[in-house]
Amino acid sequence: MEVDNSVVSYLQKQQQEAPGQLASYFSEFEDLYERKIWHQLTDKVEKFINIPEAAPYRISLYNEFVRDWQKHMNKVKLVLFALAAARQFDSSPAASQFMSEIAEEMDKPETQDAYALALLESAHFKLLLNDLDTTRETLEKCQSMIESFLHVDPVIHASFYRVCADYYKAKAAFGQYYKNALLLLACIDVQQLSAEDRVQRAYDLSIAALLSDTIYNFGDLLSHQILDSLRGTEHEWMVELLLAFNSGNIGKFEALVGKMHAQPLLAQQEAFLQQKIRLMALIESMFKRQGAGARTVPFSAISAETKLPTGEIEHLVMKALSLKLIRGKIDQVDQQVTVQWVQPRYLGKDQIRGLVDRLAQWEARVKETAQKMSQVSSEISAK
């Protein structure tokens, strides 16, 4: 490959016009390009495009420089460079079209991984245009492709889960959003996200956890560092609300209802949240009782702990049974519930302390039983 004079001219011009730190990059680009050290050049370009101050140069860098030697680089990296340029476009339609063209270039047997990545990023821009149908079709196609790959670059998985999460957010499918957003976080270094993005992702995950009708265990979210992003922000109360739900603390929930009313999605779903907090209170109550050895609970006790009339307890328990939050049976005649199993719980500090107390009680009962058996055995031997 001969060195293209127009490329060299572009690089030299940028060395003269770009700020000091960026100008030095263009100087290194020229040196590596002329020496045809493609791998190091690829790495250097990757570092450059991740510098926030380099944003105004990303489109010209791709068109005037990267295009010239793209056949020598990893094609997944090439798509990422194209994506960095697309994000600088003035309009989502133009960015979507650009990424679609990149996808067409990558549609070759040897570059199907790059093709999938380009399709996903094109779908991202289509989603911004509210083209949900095309986004769904692309996600289905890419899922089949990814499942057929022997090895998948983490950046492709991250792109897939990100676009899936954004699609389900647009559809208000809270459970699916929650699942895919957490899978996304497992594929990336959370600290590489901007502070604003971390707060937004944590906030969206919190909303999804609360409003999903399938999520009654918040352990994956409560134990994730992303939730710390809400500390010290106007949304910090969301963490307290999640903890209230996790422990079934109706009093704490009611204390936060005023803040919930300021969030339209939560305000619209207040009736659902009232039911959900009572289901969580029921689970917590049964969990505590199982540790204490009490598996049969009268409706009146459940009524006191869930703050519901006794006449509504049977419906609440049936709901918990249908959601597989507990296993057991209802005795309508004696107005009581017998529970054999409770959904595993994520335990906060207070809940762990309670568990320690119950273990101590269990140990005491075991010792007491052992002493009685020893006493009976001694009496039998004496006879």
Side-chain angles (χ1 to χ4, degrees):
M1 170 184 167
E2 296 296 327
V3 172
D4 190 325
N5 288 331
S6 65
V7 171
V8 174
S9 297
Y10 165 77
L11 294 174
Q12 291 177 345
K13 180 182 179 183
Q14 300 308 318
Q15 290 173 48
Q16 296 172 0
E17 298 178 356
Q21 179 193 9
L22 301 183
S24 65
Y25 273 94
F26 285 105
S27 177
E28 292 182 72
F29 292 163
E30 182 182 1
D31 175 57
L32 294 170
Y33 175 73
E34 290 180 338
R35 291 195 289 151
K36 303 176 184 178
I37 306 178
W38 309 123
H39 179 72
Q40 291 183 31
L41 181 55
T42 300
D43 290 344
K44 186 62 67 174
V45 170
E46 184 175 22
K47 290 180 182 178
F48 178 81
I49 65 172
N50 287 322
I51 299 174
E53 294 78 11
Y57 299 90
R58 289 170 187 164
I59 295 176
S60 66
L61 185 75
Y62 183 82
N63 290 327
E64 305 295 332
F65 180 49
V66 173
R67 282 281 196 186
D68 182 77
W69 51 281
Q70 65 181 32
K71 68 180 180 181
H72 298 289
M73 76 171 69
N74 177 288
K75 296 304 180 287
V76 169
K77 291 285 182 69
L78 177 62
V79 172
L80 292 175
F81 295 166
L83 175 61
R87 286 173 174 162
Q88 302 306 309
F89 282 30
D90 293 332
S91 68
S92 294
S96 178
Q97 179 61 33
F98 177 73
M99 290 308 300
S100 294
E101 292 170 359
I102 298 298
E104 290 177 11
E105 291 180 29
M106 297 298 107
D107 190 10
K108 300 173 184 177
E110 67 274 16
T111 56
Q112 286 296 288
D113 54 348
Y115 175 51
L117 179 59
L119 282 176
L120 286 166
E121 296 304 340
S122 175
H124 162 73
F125 289 109
K126 286 184 171 62
L127 188 57
L128 295 180
L129 297 170
N130 204 35
D131 188 349
L132 298 180
D133 291 338
T134 301
T135 301
R136 176 181 52 78
E137 291 168 4
T138 301
L139 287 172
E140 290 174 352
K141 178 177 181 178
C142 290
Q143 182 175 15
S144 297
M145 293 174 65
I146 291 170
E147 289 173 351
S148 70
F149 296 157
L150 294 177
H151 170 75
V152 182
D153 191 308
V155 74
I156 298 174
H157 267 144
S159 177
F160 177 74
Y161 293 131
R162 173 169 46 79
V163 178
C164 277
D166 290 345
Y167 170 76
Y168 288 119
K169 179 180 176 181
K171 296 280 288 184
F174 301 112
Q176 288 293 337
Y177 170 82
Y178 184 84
K179 171 186 174 183
N180 284 279
L182 284 175
L183 287 169
L184 165 64
L185 295 180
C187 296
I188 63 175
D189 180 356
V190 173
Q191 295 307 315
Q192 290 185 353
L193 296 175
S194 68
E196 182 182 352
D197 286 344
R198 290 198 299 272
V199 169
Q200 187 63 55
R201 188 65 70 182
Y203 181 76
D204 289 343
L205 274 164
S206 300
I207 292 291
L210 292 166
L211 294 183
S212 171
D213 60 0
T214 60
I215 299 170
Y216 289 84
N217 187 336
F218 300 161
D220 288 335
L221 179 56
L222 288 172
S223 61
H224 201 289
Q225 60 175 311
I226 192 69
L227 209 57
D228 293 334
S229 305
L230 298 180
R231 300 290 187 185
T233 73
E234 61 180 317
H235 305 305
E236 186 169 4
W237 63 274
M238 292 288 289
V239 181
E240 299 307 314
L241 186 58
L242 287 170
L243 291 170
F245 268 84
N246 188 68
S247 61
N249 191 326
I250 296 175
K252 186 179 289 186
F253 165 80
E254 291 177 342
L256 292 167
V257 166
K259 290 186 177 294
M260 283 170 44
H261 287 164
Q263 211 296 330
L265 278 174
L266 297 181
Q268 292 167 13
Q269 297 294 325
E270 184 175 353
F272 167 76
L273 291 170
Q274 290 282 359
Q275 182 189 64
K276 186 166 184 173
I277 188 64
R278 281 160 175 79
L279 282 167
M280 300 294 270
L282 173 66
I283 299 170
E284 182 68 14
S285 170
M286 296 302 179
F287 179 77
K288 289 177 179 177
R289 282 186 166 82
Q290 287 223 314
R295 295 175 178 270
T296 300
V297 188
F299 282 13
S300 57
I302 298 174
S303 172
E305 292 171 352
T306 61
K307 298 185 179 181
L308 284 176
T310 306
E312 296 181 23
I313 297 305
E314 183 177 350
H315 175 75
L316 182 72
V317 174
M318 288 177 65
K319 182 71 174 178
L321 290 168
S322 68
L323 290 169
K324 295 181 171 55
L325 303 178
I326 60 174
R327 294 179 196 149
K329 60 183 180 180
I330 303 172
D331 186 334
Q332 295 172 313
V333 176
D334 292 333
Q335 296 281 284
Q336 61 186 19
V337 180
T338 301
V339 177
Q340 286 91 35
W341 176 88
V342 180
Q343 183 190 69
R345 314 285 294 128
Y346 171 85
L347 302 181
K349 291 181 180 179
D350 290 341
Q351 291 165 299
I352 291 174
R353 281 192 286 268
L355 181 59
V356 170
D357 291 341
R358 291 198 296 277
L359 286 172
Q361 293 170 12
W362 175 80
E363 181 183 19
R365 289 199 301 273
V366 170
K367 287 181 179 179
E368 182 182 353
T369 302
Q371 289 172 355
K372 289 181 179 179
M373 291 181 65
S374 177
Q375 182 180 357
V376 170
S377 177
S378 299
E379 291 174 355
I380 293 175
S381 297
K383 292 178 181 180

